[in-house]
Amino acid sequence: MESRKLAALLSSLSSELLLLLLLIFPSSTPLSLSSNSNSNSNSNAKIFPLLHHFLSSQGIAASLSLLSISRKRKRTHLPEPDSGPTHDEEDPQLGHRLDLTRTPDSFKNCFRMTSSTFEWLSGLLEPLLECRDPAGSPLNLSAERRLGIGLFRLATGADYPEISKQLGVSESVAKFCTKQLCRVLCTDFRFWVTFPTPNELESVSTAFQSLTGLPNCCGVLDCARFKIVNKNHESKLPNDVVQEDSIAAQIVADSTSKILSIVVGFRGNKGDYKVLKSSTLYKDIEEERLLNSLPANVNGVAVNQYLVGHGEYPLLPWLMVPFVDAVPGSCEDNFNRAHSSMRFPALRTIVSLKSWGVLSRPIEEEFKIAVAYIGACSMLHNALLMREDYTALSDELGDSDQGTHYDGRDGGLEEILVENKSYVIRSALATRAKEFRD
């Protein structure tokens, strides 16, 4: 019921009750809260508190009702002069279009998650999604609608004209909601992708060891590339020139395909090892701020915590790559098989990220916006795994490049010593892999 109608109804009921009481208890003196010896006054004194309580109760009830209505419509503002209609009035079917049947297929196709995960995420992000609107242009959209618009862009890859058509909002609103969702995920919820603590790494390495028999593996390192398209609109050119570029994203994943670390923002023409050396991950490991727990003893060899990576990376004490030209059935071949199985989760992670609609094709956005898309999809990837929602986890695996081999040595003495140490560690792990397989 509207607030004005509710207030009028309560006022009418109060007036009728007051008139009834005056007819039943007539008096030549006005109702008073004070107590007198006059019997009529005493009667009135008894009746008036009851009437006052009733009127007060009705006033409180009306106030609470109006407050509830105010809270539900707290984002409704009058439009500024000449600003046009508020955004939630642009299309009366907006609510209907976003009010899905909540069937598994509809939510998987539109948002790449279950309805329960969507509701959980909406409640979690509500304060942050509703705290900011475009200057002078209130959106009047609930957190659920804002989340739905942003997720629809990320999940389906639909461009803004298509979102405007499908969801009944303007293109500017669709763009704002998408950017706001990415900003919230990449800033306020970046802890969803955090490198594990030493205690947490124990469970990571235990999972890999149960899979392959190789101890102390703390993750899989890989590098994915996402295409972006820059359109050149210079007036000197007769037609728009489309220039394709790519963004490199360095990822470390565990055995469940959870992302333990991601570094995004390098140009895609940079090689994987150059990306690694440019990352804080490399510096933190080299300076022993990460992977610095006690080594495991493998056939008399101290094996420190390490990552595994493909053959384009160098062999390092903390980075195990496959052997080249391993003889079938040898220790080296068994190591390569174990190494390959450990790499599967990272390949699955990359395929899953590239399955998000906005990342599955060349991204027609500025470089920094494309980076935000990759970051937001990474946060959502981990959030879904945390919820045990595997809607967006791909069943497919990417291509393996085990046959390649890093050949970037400069022959320096220090590098040779590091490689020799690394080779001893890898050989010990190869012997363990054969023992585990046998």
Side-chain angles (χ1 to χ4, degrees):
M1 183 179 296
E2 295 180 0
S3 59
R4 292 180 180 178
K5 293 181 179 180
L6 178 61
L9 177 61
L10 293 175
S11 176
S12 175
L13 291 174
S14 301
S15 299
E16 291 178 5
L17 178 61
L18 177 60
L19 178 60
L20 178 63
L21 290 174
L22 289 176
L23 290 174
I24 296 175
F25 302 100
S27 173
S28 57
T29 59
L31 293 173
S32 172
L33 290 175
S34 61
S35 177
N36 297 320
S37 58
N38 184 278
S39 61
N40 287 336
S41 297
N42 289 338
S43 298
N44 292 338
K46 294 178 181 178
I47 295 300
F48 187 80
L50 296 175
L51 178 61
H52 181 266
H53 173 73
F54 173 78
L55 294 175
S56 299
S57 300
Q58 294 299 320
I60 292 173
S63 300
L64 290 176
S65 178
L66 293 176
L67 179 59
S68 175
I69 294 173
S70 175
R71 285 177 177 173
K72 291 180 181 178
R73 303 183 60 187
K74 64 182 178 180
R75 302 200 63 79
T76 302
H77 305 281
L78 293 176
E80 297 292 331
D82 301 326
S83 65
T86 53
H87 292 299
D88 63 337
E89 296 174 347
E90 289 182 351
D91 187 344
Q93 295 195 8
L94 172 62
H96 172 71
R97 291 178 180 180
L98 283 180
D99 184 19
L100 302 177
T101 58
R102 298 190 182 269
T103 61
D105 286 343
S106 68
F107 267 75
K108 179 179 180 180
N109 295 335
C110 292
F111 306 124
R112 291 182 66 80
M113 61 182 63
T114 64
S115 60
S116 62
T117 298
F118 182 91
E119 293 171 1
W120 166 79
L121 192 60
S122 176
L124 190 65
L125 303 186
E126 179 178 2
L128 296 169
L129 291 180
E130 290 192 339
C131 71
R132 182 181 176 187
D133 279 349
S137 181
L139 297 188
N140 297 312
L141 297 177
S142 66
E144 186 177 53
R145 292 182 181 180
R146 294 167 187 246
L147 175 63
I149 293 169
L151 278 180
F152 190 78
R153 164 69 171 155
L154 296 178
T156 67
D159 58 17
Y160 295 119
E162 180 66 17
I163 296 174
S164 176
K165 178 182 177 181
Q166 292 292 330
L167 302 185
V169 295
S170 67
E171 292 182 30
S172 61
V173 169
K175 184 175 293 187
F176 178 85
C177 290
T178 302
K179 289 183 177 180
Q180 187 187 37
L181 175 61
C182 292
R183 181 172 56 249
V184 167
L185 290 173
C186 292
T187 56
D188 298 274
F189 290 89
R190 62 188 307 171
F191 62 87
W192 279 345
V193 178
T194 306
F195 201 80
T197 64
N199 288 336
E200 292 170 339
L201 277 179
E202 288 186 14
S203 61
V204 173
S205 59
T206 298
F208 278 116
Q209 185 171 358
S210 65
L211 179 67
T212 63
L214 302 182
N216 255 5
C217 176
C218 296
V220 186
L221 176 69
D222 216 319
C223 197
R225 283 167 179 77
F226 301 86
K227 292 182 179 180
I228 61 174
V229 173
N230 294 322
K231 291 185 177 180
N232 189 346
H233 297 281
E234 294 182 8
S235 57
K236 296 180 181 180
L237 299 175
N239 298 308
D240 291 342
V241 176
V242 178
Q243 297 178 329
E244 283 199 2
D245 198 354
S246 63
I247 301 174
Q250 179 178 277
I251 295 171
V252 178
D254 69 7
S255 62
T256 67
S257 293
K258 176 184 177 182
I259 301 173
L260 305 180
S261 169
I262 183 167
V263 182
V264 188
F266 297 105
R267 293 287 178 180
N269 57 2
K270 239 182 180 181
D272 290 2
Y273 182 43
K274 287 185 178 180
V275 170
L276 174 61
K277 289 199 72 173
S278 302
S279 68
T280 55
L281 178 71
Y282 182 90
K283 186 176 181 180
D284 287 340
I285 296 176
E286 284 288 311
E287 296 180 1
E288 298 184 354
R289 287 190 290 270
L290 293 177
L291 304 185
N292 54 6
S293 295
L294 293 175
N297 188 303
V298 180
N299 298 328
V301 177
V303 176
N304 291 311
Q305 292 179 315
Y306 60 90
L307 306 176
V308 297
H310 57 68
E312 292 183 6
Y313 291 112
L315 177 64
L316 300 171
W318 54 267
L319 181 56
M320 296 290 105
V321 299
F323 288 94
V324 178
D325 300 328
V327 176
S330 63
C331 293
E332 291 80 6
D333 180 56
N334 280 277
F335 175 85
N336 283 1
R337 290 173 182 269
H339 185 279
S340 179
S341 64
M342 286 193 289
R343 284 195 60 219
F344 283 164
L347 298 175
R348 191 180 190 187
T349 299
I350 291 173
V351 172
S352 297
L353 285 180
K354 290 187 175 182
S355 295
W356 284 83
V358 75
L359 304 181
S360 65
R361 64 197 72 174
I363 307 169
E364 297 188 19
E365 293 279 8
E366 297 177 8
F367 192 89
K368 63 179 181 180
I369 300 299
V371 169
Y373 285 169
I374 299 170
C377 291
S378 300
M379 305 301 158
L380 291 170
H381 173 89
N382 274 10
L384 293 178
L385 292 181
M386 178 175 61
R387 290 271 303 173
E388 297 184 356
D389 182 346
Y390 305 111
T391 306
L393 189 62
S394 176
D395 293 328
E396 300 177 0
L397 296 175
D399 295 330
S400 176
D401 51 7
Q402 297 278 26
T404 60
H405 177 63
Y406 172 77
D407 193 24
R409 294 172 295 175
D410 58 14
L413 177 61
E414 183 177 353
E415 185 171 326
I416 292 175
L417 293 175
V418 169
E419 189 173 60
N420 288 340
K421 179 181 178 181
S422 307
Y423 187 84
V424 171
I425 294 174
R426 185 174 62 172
S427 297
L429 290 173
T431 302
R432 177 61 61 86
K434 190 173 190 317
E435 293 171 353
F436 181 80
R437 189 174 181 84
D438 291 342

